[in-house]
Amino acid sequence: MPRRYWIEFERGAGARMFGLARFGVTAEDPAAALDLIASRVFHGRALPPVSRMVEDVDVSTLDPEDVQEMMGDPQRPGLWFPLGFQD
């Protein structure tokens, strides 16, 4: 059963390269969530170190203006934050 993950990366060179350091993903497990980010956002490049990963994140606890207003459907498998990386 897919789970919702909130993943934050250390704000080092890899995250800055894309201007992104936070992601919302619905996937089968943490490895699958990271694989989605690696393939769709970082195009196979090495991911920066993860600084925080929340499994089964309650999306109502995420920033209402910065995240909730700009996210896709967290019920569907795939990337739901930020927008622009969905199927």
Side-chain angles (χ1 to χ4, degrees), residues 24-54:
V25 183
T26 299
E28 292 296 321
D29 55 45
L34 292 171
D35 285 347
L36 274 169
I37 296 169
S39 66
R40 295 208 183 148
V41 180
F42 290 86
H43 307 288
R45 293 180 184 94
L47 293 174
V50 173
S51 62
R52 181 174 172 228
M53 181 182 288
V54 179

